[in-house]
Amino acid sequence: WYQRRVRGDRRETLDTMARNEEKANTMLNRWVTMKKEMHQGPKQRRPFLADECDNLHDAEKWRRQLVKELTGLISRIQNENIPHHKLRDMNDLINKKFREKTHWERRIVSLSGPDYTKIAPKVTDDGGLTVPGGGTYRYYGAAKKLPGVAELFRSEPPPPPKRTRYDMYKGVDADYYGYRDNDDGLLDSSEALQEQQARIEALEAWKAREIKRRKQSAGAGNDKIVEDGVKAMIEGFDKPQEVLKALVKNLPEKEALQKVVLEKRKRRLLEKYVNHLKPSDV
């Protein structure tokens, strides 16, 4: 019991010392802040308009303050867990701070100061993107993934390059003009089948029209005569082809023709030179 009592008293003593130390530190901090304000004067506020500042040193101080605020805001906006409405407000505030920083940089140049737009590092190296057609408004950090914003940055694929005349002429060869279509021998058979089918269809169509025309001119009761007449006419169409095929079959072969031509040439040469020789020359 005695040991527990001693431990409890010691704990209460430590707690009392901690609270007093915190109070002392708080009062000390307040006193130090008060002395600092008395030494430096009241805390200054940044002018609303940059043109109101006529001191180059103050203008550079306000610009540095803006850069510090922008750095903190850009670091905070990287958090994707922030609600969407806060992200939009924070992104608007960042754009506002950037515009204000631009005004102060112009004011510094007008006060014969350095041009920070050329020598200062880019604060937008964090990846701030500009919406196409949106002017100078930029989106930073998680604001680029907001609904309705991500679609603005999706660019359509570029159209295929237009073919030049040289590229088109590279594909023009013998196959393009159809010079080698029948190298495999399949085209002739395919065309023959198509031609035969077209001829049969055209003949049937002509046969139907001719029978209809003759029936109208011959009158009723002559259908059989009309059909026989058209059939005989069709058979007459094929007779010249059969005669031509028979003549082609009876033609001599190429070697026989060459032999006949050679014999005629020999006979002409003999008649030209041998018949003019004298008996003494023989």
Side-chain angles (χ1 to χ4, degrees):
W1 175 82
Y2 177 75
Q3 292 179 354
R4 288 199 300 271
R5 179 62 181 274
V6 171
R7 291 174 183 171
D9 295 342
R10 186 180 298 173
R11 189 179 299 110
E12 291 178 0
T13 304
L14 292 174
D15 293 342
T16 303
M17 291 175 61
R19 285 194 294 271
N20 294 334
E21 186 177 1
E22 290 175 1
K23 291 179 181 178
N25 287 337
T26 303
M27 293 181 66
L28 178 62
N29 289 335
R30 291 178 180 176
W31 183 80
V32 170
T33 303
M34 181 183 66
K35 294 293 289 184
K36 187 176 180 180
E37 290 179 355
M38 290 175 61
H39 179 69
Q40 296 181 355
K43 186 177 180 181
Q44 296 181 353
R45 296 186 62 181
R46 187 169 64 241
F48 182 74
L49 296 176
D51 295 336
E52 296 178 358
C53 181
D54 297 330
N55 191 347
L56 178 60
H57 177 73
D58 293 340
E60 291 183 347
K61 181 181 68 173
W62 300 132
R63 180 190 173 277
R64 287 194 299 269
Q65 185 182 19
L66 280 170
V67 171
K68 186 177 180 180
E69 293 175 1
L70 283 169
T71 304
L73 287 172
I74 292 175
S75 299
R76 287 171 52 195
I77 204 173
Q78 306 299 324
N79 187 5
E80 297 182 0
N81 297 324
I82 300 176
H84 290 174
H85 67 280
K86 290 187 178 181
L87 282 176
R88 294 183 187 275
D89 294 340
M90 196 179 302
N91 197 79
D92 293 341
L93 182 59
I94 291 175
N95 282 275
K96 179 182 176 182
K97 296 287 185 183
F98 267 112
R99 289 194 298 269
E100 190 175 353
K101 184 176 74 72
T102 304
H103 296 329
W104 281 105
E105 289 174 349
R106 292 175 182 171
R107 183 56 180 168
I108 290 172
V109 173
S110 64
L111 293 174
S112 302
D115 189 359
Y116 287 102
T117 58
K118 297 180 180 179
I119 62 176
K122 297 294 183 181
V123 187
T124 56
D125 288 342
D126 64 297
L129 297 178
T130 304
V131 179
T136 58
Y137 191 87
R138 294 177 181 269
Y139 289 89
Y140 300 89
K144 292 181 288 188
K145 299 180 181 179
L146 289 172
V149 177
E151 290 79 2
L152 298 175
F153 298 102
R154 293 177 185 171
S155 58
E156 298 182 357
K162 188 177 180 180
R163 294 179 63 190
T164 61
R165 186 179 295 273
Y166 173 74
D167 295 334
M168 291 187 287
Y169 275 121
K170 286 196 298 185
V172 177
D173 52 7
D175 293 330
Y176 177 82
Y177 291 105
Y179 292 147
R180 293 195 291 238
D181 291 347
N182 198 28
D183 288 352
D184 52 1
L186 300 177
L187 184 62
D188 289 342
S189 58
S190 177
E191 288 183 349
L193 292 175
Q194 295 292 333
E195 182 180 358
Q196 185 178 3
Q197 182 68 23
R199 289 185 61 188
I200 293 173
E201 293 176 357
L203 184 61
E204 291 295 332
W206 176 86
K207 181 178 178 181
R209 291 195 304 271
E210 186 67 16
I211 291 175
K212 183 179 179 180
R213 185 183 66 80
R214 291 192 179 191
K215 284 182 179 180
Q216 291 177 355
S217 60
N222 298 321
D223 297 347
K224 182 65 175 176
I225 299 174
V226 170
E227 292 178 358
D228 292 342
V230 173
K231 185 177 181 181
M233 185 179 294
I234 293 174
E235 291 177 354
F237 292 159
D238 297 333
K239 286 183 179 179
Q241 294 183 359
E242 295 176 358
V243 174
L244 182 61
K245 291 180 180 179
L247 293 175
V248 171
K249 288 182 179 179
N250 296 329
L251 287 175
E253 296 182 356
K254 184 177 180 180
E255 295 179 355
L257 291 174
Q258 291 178 353
K259 187 175 181 180
V260 171
V261 173
L262 183 61
E263 290 294 335
K264 287 184 177 181
R265 290 181 179 178
K266 288 182 179 179
R267 191 179 303 109
R268 290 177 183 175
L269 291 173
L270 289 173
E271 291 176 356
K272 183 177 180 180
Y273 295 105
V274 177
N275 294 338
H276 294 285
L277 292 175
K278 296 180 181 180
S280 60
D281 296 334
V282 179

